Amino acid sequence: MNIYTTLHLRKMLQNRLSPKRYYHSLMVEQAALELAAFHHGDWYRAGLAGLLHDICRDDHQDWQQAYMESHDFDFRGGWLQNPQIWHGVCGSFYLKKELGIADRKILRAVRYHTTGRAGMTRLEQIVFVADASSGDRSYPGVEQLRETARRSLDEAMFLCLSHTVSCVAKRGLPLVRESWEAYNEYSSKQRSERKYDF
């Protein structure tokens, strides 16, 4: 991507997002680039997906739902009860239709940055973890996550998904299939690597 296009996308994001959300997007872009360097990932796609991952985050939920319905999205399986995660799916549709970004790797990284999924690619892991560990985040445990992410994306994914499961449970909401399948996969990886005796 040339510098004109990059600057154009940043300007577009500034117009679509609140100042706080725009700053977060820049921080996730930076975190994604750093993780791509640590883990020999695709820095170009990581940076672009990190920058654009929240492109629909500030859109009204009614608009997000209508936009997803216009793309025949299936809201069954807990999705209707979890509107805070719609923007990932909505964003992937928006990037393709409105911005003409057809790169499936980037679209999937944006789509699954809110839920995760089983069988995530390295790029998807990088964007997911970058979103949770970006420099503007300040919740308890984020420093541990940042340190872990530099060492192992699988371990960082497990930490992120464990946090997701806990938060969703505390709110009494259903966990969408993509998230529990991802959690089960990374939980199994951790047990296997630590050789727990069950």
Side-chain angles (χ1 to χ4, degrees):
M1 174 171 295
N2 60 49
I3 191 167
Y4 171 79
T5 305
T6 302
L7 292 175
H8 176 75
L9 288 175
R10 290 174 188 270
K11 185 65 176 177
M12 178 272 299
L13 280 178
Q14 277 188 299
N15 291 332
R16 282 190 57 81
L17 302 177
S18 68
K20 181 179 180 180
R21 187 68 56 187
Y22 176 63
Y23 178 69
H24 170 68
S25 298
L26 297 180
M27 291 295 98
V28 174
E29 176 190 26
Q30 179 179 322
L33 289 169
E34 291 173 355
L35 288 176
F38 273 114
H39 299 287
H40 309 290
D42 186 330
W43 64 267
Y44 167 78
R45 288 186 171 96
L48 186 57
L51 177 67
L52 298 174
H53 78 289
D54 269 355
I55 192 167
C56 289
R57 185 67 177 88
D58 288 344
D59 290 312
H60 194 278
Q61 288 177 355
D62 289 344
W63 182 91
Q64 290 186 44
Q65 182 173 355
Y67 194 74
M68 291 163 70
E69 287 173 346
S70 74
H71 288 80
D72 299 319
F73 183 76
D74 186 353
F75 281 90
R76 291 177 297 180
W79 278 90
L80 273 178
Q81 297 94 328
N82 287 282
Q84 72 279 0
I85 63 174
W86 293 352
H87 66 280
V89 175
C90 194
S92 68
F93 291 147
Y94 188 92
L95 292 180
K96 184 175 183 179
K97 182 177 180 180
E98 313 301 335
L99 300 185
I101 296 176
D103 189 316
R104 294 181 67 187
K105 293 180 179 179
I106 292 173
L107 297 178
R108 286 179 177 172
V110 171
R111 177 173 183 139
Y112 294 110
H113 87 269
T114 58
T115 62
R117 71 177 179 96
M120 293 176 78
T121 65
R122 182 174 301 182
L123 175 65
E124 292 167 20
Q125 290 180 315
I126 285 171
V127 176
F128 189 96
V129 174
D131 181 34
S133 63
S134 57
D136 58 312
R137 300 289 196 186
S138 60
Y139 59 88
V142 71
E143 288 298 336
Q144 178 191 359
L145 175 59
R146 288 174 184 141
E147 293 175 8
T148 301
R150 296 185 186 100
R151 181 179 70 252
S152 169
L153 286 173
D154 281 353
E155 287 185 41
M157 285 296 306
F158 178 66
L159 289 177
C160 291
L161 290 163
S162 297
H163 180 73
T164 296
V165 170
S166 176
C167 289
V168 171
K170 287 178 181 177
R171 297 178 64 191
L173 296 172
L175 197 67
V176 296
R177 176 177 54 83
E178 290 85 349
S179 295
W180 62 255
E181 287 181 349
Y183 174 79
N184 287 344
E185 179 182 278
Y186 286 99
S187 175
S188 178
K189 285 183 179 182
Q190 293 305 297
R191 290 197 304 272
S192 175
E193 291 174 5
R194 295 175 185 177
K195 298 180 180 180
Y196 288 142
D197 184 17
F198 288 119

